[in-house]
Amino acid sequence: MQHVEPIGVGGASPLGENKFYPQKIKSVRGMRDVLPKEEILWSYFEDVIQSIMVAYGYQQIRTPIVEDTQLFSRGIGSGTDVVDKEMYSFKDELNGDLLTLRPENTAGVVRSVIEHHLLYDGPKRLWYQGPMFRHERPQKGRYRQFHQVGAEAIGWFGPDVDVELIVMSKRILEELGVKASLQINSLGSSDARKKYREILQNFLRKNYDRLDADSKVRLETNPLRVLDTKNPEMKEIIEKAPSVLEYIDTESALHFEEIQCFLKDLGVLYTINPRLVRGLDYYSKTVFEWVSDFNGTELTVCGGGRYDSLLGLLGGASAPASGFALGVERILALMPELDCTSQCDVYVAYDAPDRHSEALYKAMHISERLRNAGLRVVMHCGRGSFKQQFKRADAHASFWVAILGSEELDQGSISLRALCRRGNYDQSKSQQENFPLEEAIQKLIDWKKKASDEKN
Ligand code: HAM
């Protein structure tokens, strides 16, 4: 075998040998692992999303993580932070293609809709979930790989469908127990926005000396973004800036008014924020954000709006569209703790002195039978005293431990011990009880059925 040089010095051998161990490889900065413990929350989140998307008639679409760089530079717009500073772009050395890890997925969904002629039989309601990549400075709630769930309604002019998207995002947040407030604004048509851009530029030029360095650059590249600066020293100037709502076209103003009528009728509270401009260039007419308090800082957990020009811009037949995306990590961080984190119904513990013990064979059979009946079963593996096995069962937050000791083996029985306090389980009756094998299995199956019925 070829000798491989150790890379770096990872430390002494745990066995005390005179050897170098390779340095540990860490995850990339700003890109996190979702560990099994968090996975419970993620699965719950995904179940809620799935059922709400279905309830509103949205169909799931899965697009690639890597796309042609042009899709984003044209779709999102150069001059935006995302395109100019945050994209993970690279050249495919094998064929010279310029590729980008998707920083968002509206452009990808629109590309797919155009490529596969999805609008041929009418408008489409689509949703997606998955990782996005932005080279931002990592901090709480801001990652370089993060996840979004998004919904795009393509082919409708609105405003009914815009309101549907807003109430759907509201339902998601409420169902997950996340507190957020709704801000809305209108950016008008592309022409109205161009006019407003000039007016804003003139205003900012007049106040040039008071602008911070970032805003001085944005004044030329993307003046609307100056409005959502996070610099508190700029607040006074921004408050005096002309409002976009004074310059929007009549059609957009009517659209915005109708949105508000629907929201009022549905009892959805909102505030109009004329400084809300969103960070991506494809928006027109209505935009909205759900904003939450994140340890004293305001962070957007969900953002979206109408993007009527994007299909045309990406080479498709022009069609109106609207959508939103929510930041999964931010939502999960704001969700209240789940009442129980159990992923295991039964932990099977047994007394097997060696690998050929009857108890081990029997434990495997019982585990399989319970799984056939739809129970989630973790069978103890390796050796260990009952005390150690109960500890493992506890670590799995199992509801039950099924115990196969020598006495149970002799009698053809199993003992059951209830562990996790939830639903129909009564702590005071948590004694271990012995049942004939078939009765014990049936008892567990009945328990599972009752628990599932109660959940539904
Ligand atoms: P966005 O506002 O750029 O919009 O992103 C949507 C959400 O993704 C944000 O509100 C935030 O919760 C989350 N997010 C963004 N960047 C990060 C990050 N670095 N770390 C953690 N979370 C982040 C869009 O992406 C549009 N495509 C939304 C849309 C869909 N508009 C119309 N349709």
Side-chain angles (χ1 to χ4, degrees):
M1 211 173 86
Q2 207 188 341
H3 172 71
V4 181
E5 284 294 334
I7 310 157
V9 183
S13 154
L15 302 174
E17 300 160 63
N18 191 13
K19 242 185 186 178
F20 285 123
Y21 274 75
Q23 224 162 29
K24 286 179 194 156
I25 298 169
K26 290 188 173 165
S27 60
V28 176
R29 192 164 127 80
M31 304 198 183
R32 314 164 52 242
D33 297 311
V34 177
L35 300 177
K37 216 173 158 191
E38 293 171 78
E39 184 53 35
I40 296 162
L41 202 63
W42 279 70
S43 304
Y44 174 75
F45 169 84
E46 282 163 4
D47 285 351
V48 169
I49 294 293
Q50 178 93 31
S51 64
I52 293 181
M53 292 297 177
V54 170
Y56 282 80
Y58 281 68
Q59 293 177 301
Q60 191 167 5
I61 182 165
R62 297 175 203 262
T63 59
I65 284 166
V66 179
E67 297 273 5
D68 188 325
T69 300
Q70 265 192 74
L71 176 69
F72 303 114
S73 47
R74 222 197 297 163
I76 298 173
S78 38
T80 59
D81 281 355
V82 171
V83 170
D84 288 1
K85 300 184 196 160
E86 297 168 1
M87 292 210 304
Y88 282 91
S89 297
F90 56 96
K91 190 165 153 187
D92 182 337
E93 292 301 339
L94 297 177
N95 58 13
D97 287 351
L98 287 177
L99 304 174
T100 293
L101 298 183
R102 61 183 187 191
E104 60 97 59
N105 204 25
T106 306
V109 168
V110 167
R111 186 225 13 95
S112 181
V113 164
I114 297 169
E115 191 171 334
H116 303 287
H117 311 287
L118 292 191
L119 297 186
Y120 83 98
D121 60 350
K124 288 281 169 304
R125 287 179 165 91
L126 303 169
W127 77 276
Y128 55 86
Q129 60 182 337
M132 310 291 154
F133 302 84
R134 294 184 193 177
H135 199 280
E136 295 192 78
R137 200 163 60 82
Q139 50 190 288
K140 194 130 184 70
R142 198 174 295 283
Y143 304 100
R144 290 181 174 171
Q145 177 179 319
F146 60 98
H147 295 74
Q148 282 185 348
V149 165
E152 314 289 353
I154 304 181
W156 288 278
F157 284 99
D160 45 2
V161 84
D162 305 297
V163 174
E164 176 181 283
L165 287 158
I166 294 175
V167 295
M168 184 159 81
S169 51
K170 176 176 183 273
R171 186 181 291 275
I172 292 174
L173 296 170
E174 278 175 359
E175 183 84 22
L176 296 170
V178 173
K179 288 199 181 78
S181 53
L182 175 65
Q183 299 187 357
I184 61 171
N185 192 23
S186 177
L187 301 175
S189 66
S190 308
D191 284 347
R193 220 166 81 170
K194 256 185 227 150
K195 200 170 90 193
Y196 174 67
R197 188 180 196 264
E198 279 171 27
I199 287 161
L200 183 64
Q201 253 173 342
N202 286 339
F203 168 83
L204 295 172
R205 281 195 188 114
K206 277 187 203 148
N207 290 280
Y208 190 82
D209 292 343
R210 297 168 67 200
L211 299 183
D212 61 12
D214 236 17
S215 304
K216 281 178 179 160
V217 176
R218 282 184 173 151
L219 162 62
E220 300 307 332
T221 56
N222 198 345
L224 264 69
R225 289 297 282 168
V226 177
L227 294 180
D228 67 1
T229 170
K230 302 284 174 282
N231 184 353
E233 284 167 28
M234 294 273 300
K235 224 179 158 114
E236 204 188 316
I237 307 171
I238 299 308
E239 268 164 15
K240 287 190 184 135
S243 159
V244 65
L245 289 171
E246 285 167 32
Y247 298 91
I248 59 175
D249 49 295
T250 318
E251 197 197 317
S252 300
L254 211 68
H255 191 277
F256 194 47
E257 233 176 82
E258 284 181 84
I259 296 249
Q260 292 177 60
C261 286
F262 280 126
L263 291 179
K264 280 180 194 143
D265 184 57
L266 292 166
V268 180
L269 300 178
Y270 62 87
T271 44
I272 297 174
N273 176 2
R275 319 278 170 231
L276 178 66
V277 289
R278 311 274 302 128
L280 316 161
D281 265 3
Y282 48 60
Y283 292 109
S284 54
K285 289 189 177 159
T286 307
V287 289
F288 66 94
E289 285 188 354
W290 287 97
V291 180
S292 290
D293 175 66
F294 224 81
N295 303 328
T297 317
E298 275 202 340
L299 268 189
T300 305
V301 288
C302 173
R306 184 150 276 284
Y307 51 95
D308 291 342
S309 324
L310 188 59
L311 274 96
L313 202 66
L314 294 179
S318 129
S322 187
F324 71 77
L326 47 88
V328 179
E329 283 80 0
R330 291 185 188 180
I331 302 261
L332 293 181
L334 292 169
M335 269 168 68
E337 266 184 41
L338 292 182
D339 62 343
C340 185
T341 52
S342 176
Q343 282 203 313
C344 171
D345 294 322
V346 185
Y347 193 92
V348 179
Y350 52 88
D351 180 18
D354 61 60
R355 279 191 287 137
H356 304 289
S357 300
E358 194 194 338
L360 179 52
Y361 281 81
K362 217 164 180 177
M364 280 197 185
H365 274 272
I366 292 167
S367 300
E368 282 300 292
R369 277 189 65 186
L370 291 172
R371 289 183 189 119
N372 289 344
L375 280 91
R376 302 165 305 170
V377 181
V378 175
M379 198 190 94
H380 184 78
C381 281
R383 298 237 180 109
S385 66
F386 274 124
K387 196 173 164 203
Q388 285 166 331
Q389 295 190 53
F390 290 160
K391 266 193 170 169
R392 297 301 311 144
D394 215 33
H396 281 275
S398 181
F399 289 104
W400 296 95
V401 194
I403 303 149
L404 262 177
S406 50
E407 237 172 72
E408 283 86 355
L409 266 186
D410 290 345
Q411 296 167 355
S413 66
I414 316 182
S415 296
L416 295 181
R417 178 189 284 231
L419 280 188
C420 184
R421 184 145 44 91
R422 189 194 192 192
N424 56 355
Y425 169 62
D426 180 351
Q427 180 88 51
S428 62
K429 293 181 194 153
S430 86
Q431 299 303 321
Q432 192 167 307
E433 271 188 86
N434 186 268
F435 300 93
L437 177 67
E438 291 307 318
E439 196 184 322
I441 288 179
Q442 196 53 50
K443 193 176 159 61
L444 290 172
I445 293 172
D446 291 346
W447 168 83
K448 179 70 181 178
K449 190 172 176 315
K450 193 168 170 226
S452 310
D453 288 349
E454 272 170 14
K455 206 174 149 199
N456 296 328

